[in-house]
Amino acid sequence: MSETKPDSISWLSRDVVSILDFSRSELEYLFDAATWMKRRLREGSVPRLLGGKVIALAFFEPSTRTRLSFETAAKRLGAETIGFTGEEAISVAKGENLADTIRMLDGYADAIVIRHRYEGAALYAAEVAEHPVINAGDGKQHHPTQAMLDLFTVKELFGAIDGLVYGVLGDLRYGRAASSFILALTLFKPRRVYLVSPPLLRARDEVLEKLREAGISYEETESLEEVLGELDVLYVTRIQRERFPDPSEYEKVKGSYRVTRRLLEERAKPELKVMHPLPRVDEISFDVDDTRYAAYFLQARNGVPVRMALLALIFGAWR
Amino acid sequence: MSETKPDSISWLSRDVVSILDFSRSELEYLFDAATWMKRRLREGSVPRLLGGKVIALAFFEPSTRTRLSFETAAKRLGAETIGFTGEEAISVAKGENLADTIRMLDGYADAIVIRHRYEGAALYAAEVAEHPVINAGDGKQHHPTQAMLDLFTVKELFGAIDGLVYGVLGDLRYGRAASSFILALTLFKPRRVYLVSPPLLRARDEVLEKLREAGISYEETESLEEVLGELDVLYVTRIQRERFPDPSEYEKVKGSYRVTRRLLEERAKPELKVMHPLPRVDEISFDVDDTRYAAYFLQARNGVPVRMALLALIFGAWR
Amino acid sequence: MSETKPDSISWLSRDVVSILDFSRSELEYLFDAATWMKRRLREGSVPRLLGGKVIALAFFEPSTRTRLSFETAAKRLGAETIGFTGEEAISVAKGENLADTIRMLDGYADAIVIRHRYEGAALYAAEVAEHPVINAGDGKQHHPTQAMLDLFTVKELFGAIDGLVYGVLGDLRYGRAASSFILALTLFKPRRVYLVSPPLLRARDEVLEKLREAGISYEETESLEEVLGELDVLYVTRIQRERFPDPSEYEKVKGSYRVTRRLLEERAKPELKVMHPLPRVDEISFDVDDTRYAAYFLQARNGVPVRMALLALIFGAWR
């Protein structure tokens, strides 16, 4: 992005497909807007910046958390939403090709938020639609708005994203939140990134290559215990049993990727923050919830102001 | 509730878990607000008292009637709603514990309406959430907003709740609307309460004890015919076949708990009003619908103004 | 409709059950309103003509396209919507009779949009409800709002509905969009109507009789190729495999009812417009999409302004 083009213009009518489509400067502009939104939410004084707009939520794959967060963001700003989700989406998909469904939504709404299990679905939708398309998660790698709220939360907690030591734990191969977070870090200057996973679920080569291209010091490891003491941020994601061809393999590893209060108290720096895109099952034990380490509920709540900021920027309603 | 604490303050930011959490005076204040809402609805002049608010509808168990009634109440007052229902809720619940789901909604919305099959789910949600939680039915006993609209309807029809003879008919053991209605009566002074059910579906001891504690004259009976002539209000609920271990037992009793026009014309006082939380299957025959006895459609419509009043009081938007 | 009764009055609080309930003059008034709505949509200056209204969307049968189009129309005009759809509707229907469900919605909302698989469901709902009922498709014949947007699209494309040669292709027996379109044509003066279908799926006698009563020249044929060259408008609908008792029968015919770019370039007049109620599966090949023949995406987008116009007229909010 050229220096002469202000960020408010570069955000206008923008598709949001991958976190890598954005510059550091654009993301910082988004975070400013999100901070503003968060203050307005707290004061109960959110202006209806998107009054009269209709936003389509096309959740071909169910995701209550992301969907409700977008819906709340839109409605807090005075926009209306339409859409479908989960089971219903199956009947949408029955027979009809994705392009026709997207064209329908494009004809009704002013922007489309899409969630889809297939890699590339959001990019394809963005090509078909005239209105902006926002990827709310597709395939195994991209969930850009999750990465935005994750980085915003780090910035809020530490004052900066640069210079910190990050651990990303769990399913780095199939988990789109983890991949997007790692990719997002390449736009900043982390001191070091530890990629902690069982061998079967290591990060994909294309993700590692982005780290190398960005000149970021990273290390892959199977052991959380060994690196935990160095971390400022531990980003935890779920490991799904179904990923293991042999269930006994899963049983062997699962304990070593579980974050407990005891483990944190024994090994972590006092200022460590534990993050998680949620929902969690048992990868973070509940006794962590009321420790100073737990940042995942704050992170979840940040989904609304960050998505409000995103929508407002795309519609040119905030500057 | 002390006399010096005005009801408008005691309603503010209140959780609504059980009808027994409320005093007679608080309920009467609610009914005043509901009467006001009803007049405004009729005149088409409802003010947007809840503009800018977002209310989460968390229906872990499906309930179209209660859900749409809350949704209408919120929207009539200018609030927005988000949420999930039925099938979708199953995937919400998959793996994630209730506390995390409630925390998510608590982070997005200004109040949470919850429906859940488990006893105590609403109370638990109220403990987890910072925002007010409203029980839209949980477990087998509590459905406080149903009881509120039931009592409001009685008051509208008879001018008072005290001094009347009530019959509560059907599944008094597992039906939460019936239990809540009986519990609600303990806050007033009914002349007498008949509990009419097959032996298997008698009211629970803890409900009977509340009647005794309140000093209310009540009688359990299996026979509607015997007591019908004395009643001012007959509150009918469904008897589900599945409650009977032996289907032939069900077949034997079901006829005697069916309310027909002929039965009413033969036995009931002219001023008797028949109520039902709906939906009904065949426990009230359709030929009752256009008689003066039928109060259940009025009762159903009252769900909206009563829930509008409830929401407005909780948000401190009406006094 | 008498000449002295202005159309704005005849639309007020009107039920919309069949396209045949409307006069040519009433439809033309609707098209004027739809043209106005379309301009306002384009300018982004839609007034909140239905602010404070609540519209119930009762989709007993799933239909994402029609449902979202109504929902968008309502919300663009400032109305709120409540409702249910598909899977959820099954549990609504469980046990409860349609009249009780309609009475519930009638008690909550200011108008009811209904979709139902059974013939006559909308008419029945209109009899039960005090508020206006709009048929969003029931049974095999009636989908009046689809016919309205279809005719509006023809008028927009050709400047008139009269004097054109129409072909209606596909399942004319069970497809409610096709039947409604044919019935709608009887209110105007088409030059000729070709009914193109396999023998098993010919239009019903009652539909043909309406064409005869209106004095419209029509012809039934099995061959699209033979008549294609004469057509101004080709209205395509889907042929479902399930309609054929013998699958090999289906395989034999399906190719001859498929509209391809090649077929159009070889046989069609340059000004031919191809329409389709959507969703399509493969009855129009994708290579037609970017030809001048394709009118189905325009047609789909017209669903919103036409339904906005309809709602505004029924509520007396536009004249």
Side-chain angles (χ1 to χ4, degrees):
Chain A
M1 207 198 59
S2 103
E3 284 306 300
T4 56
K5 192 178 166 198
D7 291 317
S8 70
I9 291 174
S10 79
W11 273 104
L12 198 63
S13 301
R14 187 84 173 258
D15 293 314
V16 178
V17 172
S18 159
I19 191 69
L20 294 179
D21 300 342
F22 297 86
S23 69
R24 172 183 183 129
S25 150
E26 285 168 332
L27 291 179
E28 284 171 342
Y29 193 69
L30 174 76
F31 300 154
D32 288 347
T35 302
W36 187 91
M37 295 294 173
K38 199 164 175 175
R39 195 174 61 241
R40 289 307 197 104
L41 281 171
R42 204 168 38 234
E43 294 167 355
S45 65
V46 181
R48 293 175 58 85
L49 297 176
L50 302 186
K53 299 295 180 197
V54 173
I55 295 170
L57 305 176
F59 278 70
F60 292 91
E61 191 185 62
S63 163
T64 309
R65 203 168 278 272
T66 302
R67 179 175 65 81
L68 292 184
S69 159
F70 266 111
E71 197 170 340
T72 305
K75 289 177 170 176
R76 291 274 184 207
L77 289 168
E80 300 290 341
T81 62
I82 60 167
F84 49 79
T85 176
E87 287 310 301
E88 218 186 326
I90 292 167
S91 82
V92 173
K94 204 196 310 173
E96 184 168 63
N97 69 96
L98 181 61
D100 281 10
T101 305
I102 295 300
R103 272 189 207 101
M104 163 184 69
L105 298 173
D106 196 37
Y108 297 171
D110 302 304
I112 300 170
V113 177
I114 182 175
R115 172 88 160 217
H116 205 290
R117 60 182 303 201
Y118 290 132
E119 204 76 39
L123 180 61
Y124 182 60
E127 279 164 10
V128 169
E130 290 175 24
H131 291 109
V133 168
I134 299 171
N135 185 359
D138 71 344
K140 300 174 184 69
Q141 266 185 60
H142 295 297
H143 193 352
T145 66
Q146 178 72 46
M148 288 168 183
L149 74 92
D150 293 342
L151 291 183
F152 175 77
T153 304
V154 171
K155 188 163 186 198
E156 194 177 50
L157 290 167
F158 293 90
I161 296 163
D162 296 341
L164 301 173
V165 180
Y166 294 83
V168 188
L169 174 76
D171 181 351
L172 311 186
R173 186 158 189 79
Y174 303 103
R176 56 170 86 109
S179 286
S180 289
F181 185 70
I182 300 168
L183 293 173
L185 288 176
T186 67
L187 302 170
F188 291 82
K189 302 196 178 312
R191 188 140 66 87
R192 195 164 173 72
V193 178
Y194 289 100
L195 305 175
V196 190
S197 74
L200 268 172
L201 302 178
R202 285 175 51 198
R204 288 158 188 275
D205 282 343
E206 60 261 44
V207 171
L208 298 178
E209 197 172 314
K210 292 290 175 190
L211 283 169
R212 286 191 294 269
E213 279 175 17
I216 290 174
S217 156
Y218 74 90
E219 188 182 319
E220 297 184 83
T221 173
E222 293 176 44
S223 167
L224 172 61
E225 294 207 2
E226 277 176 23
V227 302
L228 182 55
E230 286 184 54
L231 304 181
D232 298 299
V233 173
L234 173 58
Y235 193 98
V236 184
T237 62
R238 198 187 318 169
I239 293 180
Q240 293 183 290
R241 187 188 303 263
E242 303 84 76
R243 298 296 181 204
F244 291 78
D246 177 352
S248 71
E249 283 295 311
Y250 171 76
E251 294 303 322
K252 254 191 282 176
V253 306
K254 73 169 183 179
S256 25
Y257 298 99
R258 189 147 188 262
V259 178
T260 63
R261 182 176 197 149
R262 183 168 167 180
L263 178 69
L264 294 172
E265 286 174 350
E266 282 176 10
R267 304 258 177 165
K269 294 202 287 189
E271 59 271 33
L272 171 75
K273 295 298 175 191
V274 178
M275 299 178 69
H276 192 298
L278 303 184
R280 67 172 155 175
V281 179
D282 58 3
E283 54 276 21
I284 300 176
S285 68
F286 297 116
D287 60 9
V288 177
D289 290 4
D290 52 1
T291 67
R292 62 182 158 188
Y293 303 112
Y296 33 91
F297 296 133
L298 169 70
Q299 179 188 3
R301 283 196 303 276
N302 280 340
V304 173
V306 169
R307 289 177 174 119
M308 287 169 73
L310 182 74
L311 292 172
L313 290 181
I314 286 171
F315 282 108
W318 190 90
R319 72 201 59 204
Chain B
M1 204 197 59
S2 103
E3 285 306 301
T4 57
K5 193 178 165 199
D7 291 317
S8 71
I9 290 173
S10 79
W11 272 104
L12 198 64
S13 300
R14 188 85 173 258
D15 293 314
V16 179
V17 172
S18 158
I19 190 71
L20 294 179
D21 300 342
F22 297 86
S23 69
R24 174 182 181 129
S25 150
E26 285 168 332
L27 291 179
E28 284 171 343
Y29 192 69
L30 175 76
F31 299 155
D32 289 347
T35 301
W36 187 89
M37 294 294 172
K38 200 163 174 176
R39 194 173 63 241
R40 290 306 196 104
L41 281 171
R42 203 166 40 234
E43 293 167 355
S45 64
V46 181
R48 294 175 58 85
L49 297 176
L50 302 186
K53 300 294 179 195
V54 172
I55 295 169
L57 305 176
F59 278 69
F60 292 90
E61 190 185 62
S63 163
T64 310
R65 202 169 278 272
T66 302
R67 179 175 66 80
L68 292 183
S69 157
F70 266 111
E71 197 171 340
T72 306
K75 289 176 170 175
R76 290 275 184 206
L77 289 167
E80 300 291 341
T81 63
I82 59 168
F84 49 79
T85 176
E87 287 309 300
E88 217 186 326
I90 292 167
S91 83
V92 173
K94 203 196 313 174
E96 185 169 61
N97 69 96
L98 181 61
D100 280 11
T101 306
I102 295 299
R103 271 189 207 102
M104 162 184 69
L105 298 173
D106 196 38
Y108 296 172
D110 302 303
I112 301 170
V113 177
I114 183 176
R115 172 88 159 217
H116 205 288
R117 61 182 302 202
Y118 291 133
E119 205 76 39
L123 180 61
Y124 181 61
E127 280 165 8
V128 169
E130 290 175 24
H131 291 110
V133 168
I134 299 171
N135 185 358
D138 70 344
K140 300 176 183 66
Q141 267 184 60
H142 296 296
H143 193 354
T145 65
Q146 178 70 46
M148 288 167 183
L149 74 93
D150 293 342
L151 291 184
F152 175 77
T153 304
V154 171
K155 189 164 185 197
E156 194 177 51
L157 289 168
F158 292 91
I161 295 162
D162 296 341
L164 302 174
V165 180
Y166 294 83
V168 187
L169 174 76
D171 181 352
L172 311 186
R173 186 159 189 78
Y174 303 102
R176 56 169 86 109
S179 286
S180 289
F181 184 70
I182 299 167
L183 293 174
L185 288 177
T186 67
L187 301 170
F188 291 83
K189 303 197 178 309
R191 187 141 66 88
R192 195 164 173 74
V193 177
Y194 289 102
L195 306 175
V196 190
S197 73
L200 268 172
L201 302 178
R202 286 175 52 197
R204 289 160 186 275
D205 282 342
E206 60 261 44
V207 171
L208 297 178
E209 198 172 313
K210 293 289 176 191
L211 284 169
R212 287 192 293 270
E213 278 175 19
I216 291 174
S217 157
Y218 74 90
E219 189 183 317
E220 297 184 83
T221 173
E222 291 176 45
S223 167
L224 172 62
E225 293 207 1
E226 277 176 22
V227 302
L228 182 55
E230 287 184 54
L231 305 180
D232 297 300
V233 172
L234 173 59
Y235 193 98
V236 184
T237 63
R238 198 188 319 170
I239 293 180
Q240 292 183 290
R241 185 189 304 262
E242 303 83 76
R243 298 296 181 202
F244 291 79
D246 177 353
S248 70
E249 283 295 310
Y250 172 75
E251 294 303 322
K252 255 190 281 177
V253 306
K254 74 169 182 179
S256 26
Y257 298 98
R258 188 148 190 261
V259 178
T260 63
R261 181 176 198 149
R262 183 169 168 180
L263 178 69
L264 294 172
E265 286 174 351
E266 281 177 11
R267 304 258 177 165
K269 293 201 289 190
E271 58 272 32
L272 171 75
K273 294 299 174 191
V274 178
M275 299 177 69
H276 192 299
L278 302 184
R280 68 173 153 176
V281 179
D282 58 4
E283 55 276 20
I284 299 176
S285 69
F286 296 116
D287 59 9
V288 177
D289 291 3
D290 52 0
T291 67
R292 60 182 159 189
Y293 304 113
Y296 33 91
F297 296 133
L298 169 69
Q299 178 189 3
R301 282 196 303 275
N302 280 340
V304 174
V306 170
R307 289 179 175 118
M308 288 169 73
L310 183 76
L311 292 172
L313 291 181
I314 286 172
F315 282 108
W318 189 91
R319 71 202 60 202
Chain C
M1 206 198 57
S2 104
E3 285 305 302
T4 57
K5 192 176 165 200
D7 290 317
S8 72
I9 290 173
S10 78
W11 272 103
L12 199 63
S13 300
R14 187 84 174 260
D15 293 315
V16 178
V17 172
S18 159
I19 190 71
L20 294 179
D21 301 341
F22 297 85
S23 68
R24 174 183 179 128
S25 150
E26 285 168 332
L27 292 179
E28 284 171 343
Y29 193 69
L30 175 76
F31 299 154
D32 288 347
T35 302
W36 188 91
M37 294 294 172
K38 199 164 174 176
R39 195 175 61 241
R40 288 308 195 105
L41 281 171
R42 204 168 39 234
E43 293 167 355
S45 64
V46 180
R48 293 175 59 84
L49 297 177
L50 302 186
K53 300 294 180 198
V54 172
I55 295 169
L57 305 175
F59 278 70
F60 293 90
E61 190 185 62
S63 163
T64 309
R65 203 169 277 272
T66 302
R67 178 174 67 80
L68 292 184
S69 157
F70 266 111
E71 197 171 341
T72 306
K75 289 177 170 175
R76 291 274 185 205
L77 290 167
E80 299 291 341
T81 62
I82 59 167
F84 49 79
T85 176
E87 287 310 301
E88 218 185 325
I90 292 167
S91 82
V92 174
K94 204 195 312 172
E96 183 168 64
N97 70 95
L98 181 61
D100 280 11
T101 306
I102 295 298
R103 271 189 207 102
M104 162 184 70
L105 298 173
D106 196 36
Y108 297 171
D110 302 304
I112 301 170
V113 177
I114 183 176
R115 172 86 162 218
H116 206 289
R117 60 182 302 199
Y118 291 132
E119 204 76 39
L123 180 61
Y124 181 62
E127 280 164 10
V128 169
E130 290 175 24
H131 291 108
V133 168
I134 300 171
N135 186 358
D138 71 345
K140 302 177 181 66
Q141 266 185 61
H142 295 297
H143 194 351
T145 65
Q146 178 71 47
M148 289 167 182
L149 74 93
D150 293 342
L151 291 184
F152 175 77
T153 304
V154 171
K155 190 164 184 196
E156 194 177 51
L157 289 168
F158 292 92
I161 296 162
D162 296 340
L164 302 174
V165 179
Y166 294 83
V168 187
L169 174 76
D171 181 352
L172 310 186
R173 185 158 188 80
Y174 303 103
R176 56 169 85 109
S179 286
S180 289
F181 185 71
I182 299 168
L183 292 174
L185 288 176
T186 67
L187 301 170
F188 291 82
K189 301 197 178 311
R191 187 140 67 86
R192 196 165 172 72
V193 178
Y194 288 102
L195 305 175
V196 190
S197 75
L200 268 171
L201 301 178
R202 286 175 52 196
R204 288 158 188 276
D205 282 343
E206 61 261 43
V207 171
L208 297 178
E209 198 172 313
K210 292 289 174 191
L211 284 169
R212 285 191 295 271
E213 277 175 19
I216 290 174
S217 157
Y218 74 92
E219 188 182 318
E220 297 184 83
T221 173
E222 292 176 44
S223 167
L224 172 61
E225 294 208 0
E226 278 175 23
V227 302
L228 182 54
E230 287 184 53
L231 305 179
D232 297 300
V233 172
L234 173 60
Y235 193 97
V236 184
T237 63
R238 198 187 320 169
I239 293 180
Q240 293 184 290
R241 186 190 303 263
E242 304 84 74
R243 298 296 181 203
F244 291 78
D246 177 353
S248 71
E249 283 295 311
Y250 171 77
E251 294 303 323
K252 255 191 280 177
V253 307
K254 73 169 184 181
S256 25
Y257 299 98
R258 188 146 190 262
V259 178
T260 62
R261 182 177 197 148
R262 184 172 167 176
L263 178 69
L264 293 172
E265 286 174 351
E266 281 176 12
R267 303 258 179 166
K269 294 202 285 189
E271 59 271 33
L272 171 76
K273 295 298 176 193
V274 178
M275 298 178 70
H276 191 298
L278 302 184
R280 68 172 154 176
V281 179
D282 59 3
E283 55 275 21
I284 300 177
S285 68
F286 296 116
D287 59 9
V288 176
D289 291 2
D290 53 0
T291 67
R292 60 181 159 188
Y293 303 112
Y296 33 92
F297 296 133
L298 169 69
Q299 179 188 4
R301 282 197 304 275
N302 280 340
V304 173
V306 169
R307 290 178 174 118
M308 288 169 72
L310 183 75
L311 292 172
L313 290 181
I314 286 172
F315 282 107
W318 190 90
R319 70 203 59 204

